[in-house]
Amino acid sequence: MIIERLWPDNAWRNFHYLVACETTGEALAVDPLDWELVLRTARARGWDVTHILNTHEHRDHTGGNAALQAATGARVLAHAGAGAKIAGIDRGLREGDIVRIGRNVELECLDTPGHTRAHLCLLAHGDTPALLCGDTLFNAGAGNCHNGGDPELLFDTFERRFSRLSDAVAVHPGHDYLARNLAFTLEVEPDNAAAARSEEHTSELQSQFRISYAVFCLKK
């Protein structure tokens, strides 16, 4: 199984994901707002997008569905409770369902309400376990509950689900909010040494990226 993270560099700081079977080349597109980037990347890798999955119904996660489906014929998968909010769902998913792509990809569906009431996360088991977690869990933070969510449900999701996950699970969130979340952590916990080290490292990486990007632009 291959998980490729895509960075569309938009105002919402989205991540998109392609989960591909290395044997058959079939791929699942997760929350493909920038559908052209997703399709271009899949074709460059020699993959065929056969399925689209939305972790939840917000427009910055579903906005590319129709165009990507028209271009590929992919089936749309989403939470069974999101049928009234996500158009054209071909398969409604529930707790414990398995999403299979090609021969080698098996993803377990976790019912993870909180950010919205119909939110899914996908857990990949195996030697390198991974969690595709939409807007429920972020690096150094948790999802908000502003647009149709519930903080008590979100707390229950963390208590019931995420607290039991192995530390070996790689987290693949729906957005890059790392710098913002670390700044908030240090505002609340100014003596948090681990957060301070992470913030310093993140700032260094961002500076290196800005320098590299500036050099790239000068060379063009």
Side-chain angles (χ1 to χ4, degrees):
M1 180 178 67
I2 302 168
I3 299 177
E4 178 151 351
R5 185 176 67 190
L6 309 182
W7 172 246
D9 195 17
N10 62 23
W12 302 282
R13 303 188 66 81
N14 288 84
F15 284 134
H16 309 329
Y17 295 92
L18 283 165
V19 184
C21 172
E22 61 266 46
T23 302
T24 67
E26 295 170 77
L28 168 73
V30 180
D31 294 334
L33 174 63
D34 189 340
W35 68 273
E36 292 175 302
L37 172 62
V38 171
L39 184 60
R40 187 167 62 249
T41 303
R43 287 175 173 171
R45 303 290 185 269
W47 298 338
D48 178 24
V49 177
T50 59
H51 294 77
I52 297 165
L53 185 139
N54 297 131
T55 57
H56 61 290
E57 70 269 18
H58 288 162
R59 180 69 177 172
D60 60 324
H61 292 254
T62 66
N65 283 11
L68 186 58
Q69 186 179 36
T72 63
R75 300 182 69 214
V76 176
L77 315 179
H79 195 292
K85 298 180 179 179
I86 300 176
I89 296 177
D90 295 298
R91 179 187 173 191
L93 299 169
R94 302 181 185 278
E95 171 75 25
D97 285 349
I98 302 297
V99 174
R100 294 182 173 85
I101 306 295
R103 297 178 189 172
N104 303 325
V105 176
E106 291 192 0
L107 302 167
E108 178 188 354
C109 295
L110 305 182
D111 186 9
T112 53
H115 177 66
T116 67
R117 294 175 182 275
H119 193 294
L120 283 174
C121 292
L122 299 173
L123 181 61
H125 299 280
D127 294 336
T128 54
L131 183 72
L132 294 144
C133 47
D135 286 5
T136 299
L137 174 64
F138 297 107
N139 294 317
N144 65 56
C145 304
H146 297 324
N147 298 302
D150 183 306
E152 292 188 2
L153 290 175
L154 186 63
F155 179 84
D156 183 66
T157 287
F158 275 83
E159 178 69 19
R160 177 175 51 89
R161 281 291 182 211
F162 294 161
S163 65
R164 302 178 185 180
L165 295 177
S166 165
D167 289 344
V169 174
V171 174
H172 297 291
H175 298 267
D176 171 29
Y177 294 153
L178 180 58
R180 183 193 307 174
N181 287 338
L182 288 171
F184 175 76
T185 298
L186 289 170
E187 181 179 338
V188 177
E189 301 176 358
D191 296 328
N192 189 320
R197 288 193 299 271
S198 295
E199 185 184 46
E200 182 178 358
H201 181 60
T202 300
S203 297
E204 290 174 358
L205 291 177
Q206 289 177 330
S207 296
Q208 291 171 11
F209 173 79
R210 285 193 291 268
I211 292 170
S212 298
Y213 183 72
V215 171
F216 170 77
C217 291
L218 288 171
K219 288 181 177 179
K220 286 185 67 175

PDB file of all heavy atoms in Angstrom, residues 10-39:
ATOM      1  N   ASN A  10      -3.424  25.886  -0.894  1.00  0.00           N
ATOM      2  CA  ASN A  10      -4.578  26.786  -0.954  1.00  0.00           C
ATOM      3  C   ASN A  10      -4.751  27.515   0.377  1.00  0.00           C
ATOM      4  O   ASN A  10      -4.011  27.293   1.335  1.00  0.00           O
ATOM      5  CB  ASN A  10      -5.848  26.021  -1.352  1.00  0.00           C
ATOM      6  CG  ASN A  10      -6.227  24.939  -0.344  1.00  0.00           C
ATOM      7  OD1 ASN A  10      -5.864  24.975   0.830  1.00  0.00           O
ATOM      8  ND2 ASN A  10      -6.964  23.939  -0.806  1.00  0.00           N
ATOM      9  N   ALA A  11      -5.743  28.388   0.425  1.00  0.00           N
ATOM     10  CA  ALA A  11      -5.942  29.222   1.604  1.00  0.00           C
ATOM     11  C   ALA A  11      -6.349  28.414   2.839  1.00  0.00           C
ATOM     12  O   ALA A  11      -6.143  28.857   3.975  1.00  0.00           O
ATOM     13  CB  ALA A  11      -7.004  30.282   1.321  1.00  0.00           C
ATOM     14  N   TRP A  12      -6.916  27.248   2.639  1.00  0.00           N
ATOM     15  CA  TRP A  12      -7.385  26.420   3.761  1.00  0.00           C
ATOM     16  C   TRP A  12      -6.302  25.459   4.248  1.00  0.00           C
ATOM     17  O   TRP A  12      -6.529  24.731   5.189  1.00  0.00           O
ATOM     18  CB  TRP A  12      -8.630  25.636   3.348  1.00  0.00           C
ATOM     19  CG  TRP A  12      -9.730  26.513   2.888  1.00  0.00           C
ATOM     20  CD1 TRP A  12     -10.591  27.243   3.661  1.00  0.00           C
ATOM     21  CD2 TRP A  12     -10.081  26.806   1.527  1.00  0.00           C
ATOM     22  NE1 TRP A  12     -11.457  27.951   2.872  1.00  0.00           N
ATOM     23  CE2 TRP A  12     -11.174  27.699   1.556  1.00  0.00           C
ATOM     24  CE3 TRP A  12      -9.598  26.377   0.294  1.00  0.00           C
ATOM     25  CZ2 TRP A  12     -11.766  28.197   0.397  1.00  0.00           C
ATOM     26  CZ3 TRP A  12     -10.176  26.873  -0.871  1.00  0.00           C
ATOM     27  CH2 TRP A  12     -11.256  27.763  -0.802  1.00  0.00           C
ATOM     28  N   ARG A  13      -5.155  25.447   3.590  1.00  0.00           N
ATOM     29  CA  ARG A  13      -4.033  24.578   3.963  1.00  0.00           C
ATOM     30  C   ARG A  13      -4.439  23.113   3.974  1.00  0.00           C
ATOM     31  O   ARG A  13      -4.080  22.348   4.884  1.00  0.00           O
ATOM     32  CB  ARG A  13      -3.432  25.000   5.310  1.00  0.00           C
ATOM     33  CG  ARG A  13      -2.959  26.448   5.345  1.00  0.00           C
ATOM     34  CD  ARG A  13      -2.203  26.783   6.617  1.00  0.00           C
ATOM     35  NE  ARG A  13      -0.942  26.050   6.691  1.00  0.00           N
ATOM     36  CZ  ARG A  13       0.182  26.407   6.076  1.00  0.00           C
ATOM     37  NH1 ARG A  13       0.207  27.486   5.298  1.00  0.00           N
ATOM     38  NH2 ARG A  13       1.276  25.688   6.223  1.00  0.00           N
ATOM     39  N   ASN A  14      -5.194  22.707   2.955  1.00  0.00           N
ATOM     40  CA  ASN A  14      -5.634  21.319   2.842  1.00  0.00           C
ATOM     41  C   ASN A  14      -4.484  20.376   2.537  1.00  0.00           C
ATOM     42  O   ASN A  14      -3.494  20.757   1.896  1.00  0.00           O
ATOM     43  CB  ASN A  14      -6.657  21.167   1.717  1.00  0.00           C
ATOM     44  CG  ASN A  14      -8.003  21.748   2.037  1.00  0.00           C
ATOM     45  OD1 ASN A  14      -8.226  22.936   1.864  1.00  0.00           O
ATOM     46  ND2 ASN A  14      -8.913  20.909   2.504  1.00  0.00           N
ATOM     47  N   PHE A  15      -4.654  19.133   2.957  1.00  0.00           N
ATOM     48  CA  PHE A  15      -3.916  18.006   2.413  1.00  0.00           C
ATOM     49  C   PHE A  15      -4.908  17.130   1.661  1.00  0.00           C
ATOM     50  O   PHE A  15      -6.051  16.955   2.108  1.00  0.00           O
ATOM     51  CB  PHE A  15      -3.273  17.156   3.521  1.00  0.00           C
ATOM     52  CG  PHE A  15      -2.052  17.752   4.151  1.00  0.00           C
ATOM     53  CD1 PHE A  15      -1.916  17.744   5.537  1.00  0.00           C
ATOM     54  CD2 PHE A  15      -1.034  18.286   3.392  1.00  0.00           C
ATOM     55  CE1 PHE A  15      -0.786  18.271   6.149  1.00  0.00           C
ATOM     56  CE2 PHE A  15       0.105  18.820   3.984  1.00  0.00           C
ATOM     57  CZ  PHE A  15       0.230  18.814   5.361  1.00  0.00           C
ATOM     58  N   HIS A  16      -4.483  16.575   0.528  1.00  0.00           N
ATOM     59  CA  HIS A  16      -5.227  15.522  -0.156  1.00  0.00           C
ATOM     60  C   HIS A  16      -4.361  14.268  -0.124  1.00  0.00           C
ATOM     61  O   HIS A  16      -3.131  14.361   0.008  1.00  0.00           O
ATOM     62  CB  HIS A  16      -5.529  15.882  -1.607  1.00  0.00           C
ATOM     63  CG  HIS A  16      -6.166  17.222  -1.792  1.00  0.00           C
ATOM     64  ND1 HIS A  16      -7.001  17.796  -0.861  1.00  0.00           N
ATOM     65  CD2 HIS A  16      -6.089  18.106  -2.827  1.00  0.00           C
ATOM     66  CE1 HIS A  16      -7.408  18.980  -1.307  1.00  0.00           C
ATOM     67  NE2 HIS A  16      -6.865  19.186  -2.493  1.00  0.00           N
ATOM     68  N   TYR A  17      -4.993  13.103  -0.286  1.00  0.00           N
ATOM     69  CA  TYR A  17      -4.245  11.852  -0.244  1.00  0.00           C
ATOM     70  C   TYR A  17      -4.649  10.934  -1.389  1.00  0.00           C
ATOM     71  O   TYR A  17      -5.827  10.871  -1.763  1.00  0.00           O
ATOM     72  CB  TYR A  17      -4.473  11.124   1.087  1.00  0.00           C
ATOM     73  CG  TYR A  17      -3.927  11.879   2.270  1.00  0.00           C
ATOM     74  CD1 TYR A  17      -4.731  12.768   2.993  1.00  0.00           C
ATOM     75  CD2 TYR A  17      -2.597  11.730   2.662  1.00  0.00           C
ATOM     76  CE1 TYR A  17      -4.219  13.470   4.071  1.00  0.00           C
ATOM     77  CE2 TYR A  17      -2.087  12.441   3.739  1.00  0.00           C
ATOM     78  CZ  TYR A  17      -2.899  13.307   4.431  1.00  0.00           C
ATOM     79  OH  TYR A  17      -2.391  14.014   5.486  1.00  0.00           O
ATOM     80  N   LEU A  18      -3.668  10.226  -1.911  1.00  0.00           N
ATOM     81  CA  LEU A  18      -3.893   9.109  -2.801  1.00  0.00           C
ATOM     82  C   LEU A  18      -3.388   7.858  -2.102  1.00  0.00           C
ATOM     83  O   LEU A  18      -2.239   7.822  -1.642  1.00  0.00           O
ATOM     84  CB  LEU A  18      -3.153   9.304  -4.126  1.00  0.00           C
ATOM     85  CG  LEU A  18      -3.786  10.285  -5.110  1.00  0.00           C
ATOM     86  CD1 LEU A  18      -2.794  10.672  -6.200  1.00  0.00           C
ATOM     87  CD2 LEU A  18      -5.053   9.694  -5.731  1.00  0.00           C
ATOM     88  N   VAL A  19      -4.254   6.858  -1.999  1.00  0.00           N
ATOM     89  CA  VAL A  19      -3.882   5.580  -1.407  1.00  0.00           C
ATOM     90  C   VAL A  19      -3.948   4.554  -2.523  1.00  0.00           C
ATOM     91  O   VAL A  19      -5.021   4.294  -3.076  1.00  0.00           O
ATOM     92  CB  VAL A  19      -4.828   5.188  -0.256  1.00  0.00           C
ATOM     93  CG1 VAL A  19      -4.355   3.910   0.407  1.00  0.00           C
ATOM     94  CG2 VAL A  19      -4.936   6.320   0.762  1.00  0.00           C
ATOM     95  N   ALA A  20      -2.796   3.989  -2.865  1.00  0.00           N
ATOM     96  CA  ALA A  20      -2.713   3.162  -4.074  1.00  0.00           C
ATOM     97  C   ALA A  20      -2.262   1.743  -3.767  1.00  0.00           C
ATOM     98  O   ALA A  20      -1.472   1.501  -2.847  1.00  0.00           O
ATOM     99  CB  ALA A  20      -1.751   3.802  -5.079  1.00  0.00           C
ATOM    100  N   CYS A  21      -2.751   0.831  -4.566  1.00  0.00           N
ATOM    101  CA  CYS A  21      -2.294  -0.558  -4.544  1.00  0.00           C
ATOM    102  C   CYS A  21      -1.119  -0.677  -5.507  1.00  0.00           C
ATOM    103  O   CYS A  21      -1.281  -0.429  -6.711  1.00  0.00           O
ATOM    104  CB  CYS A  21      -3.427  -1.494  -4.963  1.00  0.00           C
ATOM    105  SG  CYS A  21      -2.897  -3.213  -5.201  1.00  0.00           S
ATOM    106  N   GLU A  22       0.054  -1.043  -4.995  1.00  0.00           N
ATOM    107  CA  GLU A  22       1.236  -1.104  -5.839  1.00  0.00           C
ATOM    108  C   GLU A  22       1.178  -2.245  -6.850  1.00  0.00           C
ATOM    109  O   GLU A  22       1.912  -2.241  -7.833  1.00  0.00           O
ATOM    110  CB  GLU A  22       2.501  -1.219  -4.988  1.00  0.00           C
ATOM    111  CG  GLU A  22       2.582  -2.441  -4.102  1.00  0.00           C
ATOM    112  CD  GLU A  22       2.073  -2.184  -2.699  1.00  0.00           C
ATOM    113  OE1 GLU A  22       0.981  -1.573  -2.577  1.00  0.00           O
ATOM    114  OE2 GLU A  22       2.763  -2.599  -1.737  1.00  0.00           O
ATOM    115  N   THR A  23       0.287  -3.214  -6.616  1.00  0.00           N
ATOM    116  CA  THR A  23       0.171  -4.358  -7.527  1.00  0.00           C
ATOM    117  C   THR A  23      -0.684  -4.032  -8.739  1.00  0.00           C
ATOM    118  O   THR A  23      -0.312  -4.320  -9.877  1.00  0.00           O
ATOM    119  CB  THR A  23      -0.412  -5.571  -6.788  1.00  0.00           C
ATOM    120  OG1 THR A  23       0.423  -5.900  -5.671  1.00  0.00           O
ATOM    121  CG2 THR A  23      -0.497  -6.772  -7.713  1.00  0.00           C
ATOM    122  N   THR A  24      -1.843  -3.409  -8.507  1.00  0.00           N
ATOM    123  CA  THR A  24      -2.784  -3.163  -9.604  1.00  0.00           C
ATOM    124  C   THR A  24      -2.773  -1.732 -10.118  1.00  0.00           C
ATOM    125  O   THR A  24      -3.284  -1.461 -11.204  1.00  0.00           O
ATOM    126  CB  THR A  24      -4.220  -3.494  -9.159  1.00  0.00           C
ATOM    127  OG1 THR A  24      -4.632  -2.554  -8.157  1.00  0.00           O
ATOM    128  CG2 THR A  24      -4.301  -4.907  -8.602  1.00  0.00           C
ATOM    129  N   GLY A  25      -2.243  -0.797  -9.316  1.00  0.00           N
ATOM    130  CA  GLY A  25      -2.266   0.608  -9.709  1.00  0.00           C
ATOM    131  C   GLY A  25      -3.587   1.297  -9.450  1.00  0.00           C
ATOM    132  O   GLY A  25      -3.753   2.477  -9.793  1.00  0.00           O
ATOM    133  N   GLU A  26      -4.538   0.605  -8.821  1.00  0.00           N
ATOM    134  CA  GLU A  26      -5.809   1.237  -8.466  1.00  0.00           C
ATOM    135  C   GLU A  26      -5.587   2.150  -7.254  1.00  0.00           C
ATOM    136  O   GLU A  26      -4.778   1.835  -6.381  1.00  0.00           O
ATOM    137  CB  GLU A  26      -6.855   0.179  -8.148  1.00  0.00           C
ATOM    138  CG  GLU A  26      -7.221  -0.690  -9.340  1.00  0.00           C
ATOM    139  CD  GLU A  26      -8.063  -1.878  -8.938  1.00  0.00           C
ATOM    140  OE1 GLU A  26      -9.266  -1.677  -8.706  1.00  0.00           O
ATOM    141  OE2 GLU A  26      -7.519  -2.987  -8.838  1.00  0.00           O
ATOM    142  N   ALA A  27      -6.325   3.261  -7.210  1.00  0.00           N
ATOM    143  CA  ALA A  27      -6.078   4.240  -6.146  1.00  0.00           C
ATOM    144  C   ALA A  27      -7.376   4.827  -5.620  1.00  0.00           C
ATOM    145  O   ALA A  27      -8.366   4.964  -6.340  1.00  0.00           O
ATOM    146  CB  ALA A  27      -5.171   5.356  -6.660  1.00  0.00           C
ATOM    147  N   LEU A  28      -7.315   5.197  -4.346  1.00  0.00           N
ATOM    148  CA  LEU A  28      -8.385   5.902  -3.647  1.00  0.00           C
ATOM    149  C   LEU A  28      -7.952   7.341  -3.436  1.00  0.00           C
ATOM    150  O   LEU A  28      -6.848   7.599  -2.943  1.00  0.00           O
ATOM    151  CB  LEU A  28      -8.636   5.231  -2.294  1.00  0.00           C
ATOM    152  CG  LEU A  28      -9.509   5.971  -1.285  1.00  0.00           C
ATOM    153  CD1 LEU A  28     -10.966   5.919  -1.717  1.00  0.00           C
ATOM    154  CD2 LEU A  28      -9.342   5.361   0.112  1.00  0.00           C
ATOM    155  N   ALA A  29      -8.793   8.291  -3.816  1.00  0.00           N
ATOM    156  CA  ALA A  29      -8.527   9.716  -3.567  1.00  0.00           C
ATOM    157  C   ALA A  29      -9.316  10.144  -2.341  1.00  0.00           C
ATOM    158  O   ALA A  29     -10.535   9.982  -2.291  1.00  0.00           O
ATOM    159  CB  ALA A  29      -8.935  10.550  -4.773  1.00  0.00           C
ATOM    160  N   VAL A  30      -8.615  10.695  -1.339  1.00  0.00           N
ATOM    161  CA  VAL A  30      -9.252  11.100  -0.088  1.00  0.00           C
ATOM    162  C   VAL A  30      -9.367  12.619  -0.051  1.00  0.00           C
ATOM    163  O   VAL A  30      -8.370  13.337  -0.159  1.00  0.00           O
ATOM    164  CB  VAL A  30      -8.445  10.599   1.126  1.00  0.00           C
ATOM    165  CG1 VAL A  30      -9.117  11.040   2.427  1.00  0.00           C
ATOM    166  CG2 VAL A  30      -8.305   9.076   1.080  1.00  0.00           C
ATOM    167  N   ASP A  31     -10.599  13.110   0.056  1.00  0.00           N
ATOM    168  CA  ASP A  31     -10.895  14.548   0.178  1.00  0.00           C
ATOM    169  C   ASP A  31     -10.238  15.374  -0.932  1.00  0.00           C
ATOM    170  O   ASP A  31      -9.490  16.324  -0.672  1.00  0.00           O
ATOM    171  CB  ASP A  31     -10.461  15.064   1.552  1.00  0.00           C
ATOM    172  CG  ASP A  31     -11.277  14.464   2.691  1.00  0.00           C
ATOM    173  OD1 ASP A  31     -12.434  14.067   2.447  1.00  0.00           O
ATOM    174  OD2 ASP A  31     -10.769  14.403   3.819  1.00  0.00           O
ATOM    175  N   PRO A  32     -10.539  15.050  -2.196  1.00  0.00           N
ATOM    176  CA  PRO A  32      -9.803  15.648  -3.328  1.00  0.00           C
ATOM    177  C   PRO A  32     -10.362  16.985  -3.793  1.00  0.00           C
ATOM    178  O   PRO A  32     -10.865  17.112  -4.915  1.00  0.00           O
ATOM    179  CB  PRO A  32      -9.961  14.585  -4.420  1.00  0.00           C
ATOM    180  CG  PRO A  32     -11.335  14.022  -4.174  1.00  0.00           C
ATOM    181  CD  PRO A  32     -11.506  14.030  -2.670  1.00  0.00           C
ATOM    182  N   LEU A  33     -10.262  18.019  -2.957  1.00  0.00           N
ATOM    183  CA  LEU A  33     -10.763  19.341  -3.363  1.00  0.00           C
ATOM    184  C   LEU A  33     -10.102  19.807  -4.656  1.00  0.00           C
ATOM    185  O   LEU A  33     -10.781  20.181  -5.613  1.00  0.00           O
ATOM    186  CB  LEU A  33     -10.532  20.355  -2.250  1.00  0.00           C
ATOM    187  CG  LEU A  33     -10.880  21.813  -2.587  1.00  0.00           C
ATOM    188  CD1 LEU A  33     -12.367  21.964  -2.896  1.00  0.00           C
ATOM    189  CD2 LEU A  33     -10.471  22.739  -1.445  1.00  0.00           C
ATOM    190  N   ASP A  34      -8.770  19.796  -4.695  1.00  0.00           N
ATOM    191  CA  ASP A  34      -8.041  20.169  -5.915  1.00  0.00           C
ATOM    192  C   ASP A  34      -7.952  18.932  -6.794  1.00  0.00           C
ATOM    193  O   ASP A  34      -6.928  18.251  -6.875  1.00  0.00           O
ATOM    194  CB  ASP A  34      -6.652  20.701  -5.557  1.00  0.00           C
ATOM    195  CG  ASP A  34      -5.927  21.306  -6.750  1.00  0.00           C
ATOM    196  OD1 ASP A  34      -6.293  20.989  -7.908  1.00  0.00           O
ATOM    197  OD2 ASP A  34      -4.984  22.089  -6.534  1.00  0.00           O
ATOM    198  N   TRP A  35      -9.047  18.650  -7.475  1.00  0.00           N
ATOM    199  CA  TRP A  35      -9.150  17.402  -8.221  1.00  0.00           C
ATOM    200  C   TRP A  35      -8.157  17.331  -9.373  1.00  0.00           C
ATOM    201  O   TRP A  35      -7.683  16.240  -9.731  1.00  0.00           O
ATOM    202  CB  TRP A  35     -10.574  17.220  -8.747  1.00  0.00           C
ATOM    203  CG  TRP A  35     -10.965  18.213  -9.809  1.00  0.00           C
ATOM    204  CD1 TRP A  35     -11.493  19.449  -9.616  1.00  0.00           C
ATOM    205  CD2 TRP A  35     -10.829  18.041 -11.212  1.00  0.00           C
ATOM    206  NE1 TRP A  35     -11.700  20.069 -10.814  1.00  0.00           N
ATOM    207  CE2 TRP A  35     -11.307  19.233 -11.827  1.00  0.00           C
ATOM    208  CE3 TRP A  35     -10.366  17.010 -12.029  1.00  0.00           C
ATOM    209  CZ2 TRP A  35     -11.319  19.398 -13.205  1.00  0.00           C
ATOM    210  CZ3 TRP A  35     -10.377  17.178 -13.406  1.00  0.00           C
ATOM    211  CH2 TRP A  35     -10.859  18.358 -13.984  1.00  0.00           C
ATOM    212  N   GLU A  36      -7.802  18.477  -9.933  1.00  0.00           N
ATOM    213  CA  GLU A  36      -6.834  18.465 -11.034  1.00  0.00           C
ATOM    214  C   GLU A  36      -5.458  18.032 -10.544  1.00  0.00           C
ATOM    215  O   GLU A  36      -4.754  17.274 -11.226  1.00  0.00           O
ATOM    216  CB  GLU A  36      -6.775  19.841 -11.686  1.00  0.00           C
ATOM    217  CG  GLU A  36      -8.058  20.203 -12.430  1.00  0.00           C
ATOM    218  CD  GLU A  36      -8.033  21.616 -12.967  1.00  0.00           C
ATOM    219  OE1 GLU A  36      -7.854  22.546 -12.144  1.00  0.00           O
ATOM    220  OE2 GLU A  36      -8.193  21.779 -14.189  1.00  0.00           O
ATOM    221  N   LEU A  37      -5.046  18.505  -9.372  1.00  0.00           N
ATOM    222  CA  LEU A  37      -3.788  18.074  -8.786  1.00  0.00           C
ATOM    223  C   LEU A  37      -3.818  16.576  -8.507  1.00  0.00           C
ATOM    224  O   LEU A  37      -2.836  15.857  -8.782  1.00  0.00           O
ATOM    225  CB  LEU A  37      -3.527  18.847  -7.493  1.00  0.00           C
ATOM    226  CG  LEU A  37      -2.334  18.386  -6.651  1.00  0.00           C
ATOM    227  CD1 LEU A  37      -1.033  18.534  -7.427  1.00  0.00           C
ATOM    228  CD2 LEU A  37      -2.274  19.150  -5.325  1.00  0.00           C
ATOM    229  N   VAL A  38      -4.912  16.097  -7.959  1.00  0.00           N
ATOM    230  CA  VAL A  38      -5.055  14.678  -7.655  1.00  0.00           C
ATOM    231  C   VAL A  38      -4.963  13.849  -8.933  1.00  0.00           C
ATOM    232  O   VAL A  38      -4.219  12.854  -9.000  1.00  0.00           O
ATOM    233  CB  VAL A  38      -6.386  14.415  -6.934  1.00  0.00           C
ATOM    234  CG1 VAL A  38      -6.653  12.920  -6.812  1.00  0.00           C
ATOM    235  CG2 VAL A  38      -6.381  15.066  -5.554  1.00  0.00           C
ATOM    236  N   LEU A  39      -5.691  14.252  -9.959  1.00  0.00           N
ATOM    237  CA  LEU A  39      -5.700  13.496 -11.206  1.00  0.00           C
ATOM    238  C   LEU A  39      -4.338  13.542 -11.895  1.00  0.00           C
ATOM    239  O   LEU A  39      -3.839  12.524 -12.392  1.00  0.00           O
ATOM    240  CB  LEU A  39      -6.785  14.044 -12.139  1.00  0.00           C
ATOM    241  CG  LEU A  39      -6.996  13.295 -13.458  1.00  0.00           C
ATOM    242  CD1 LEU A  39      -7.382  11.841 -13.199  1.00  0.00           C
ATOM    243  CD2 LEU A  39      -8.068  13.991 -14.292  1.00  0.00           C
TER     244      LEU A  39
END
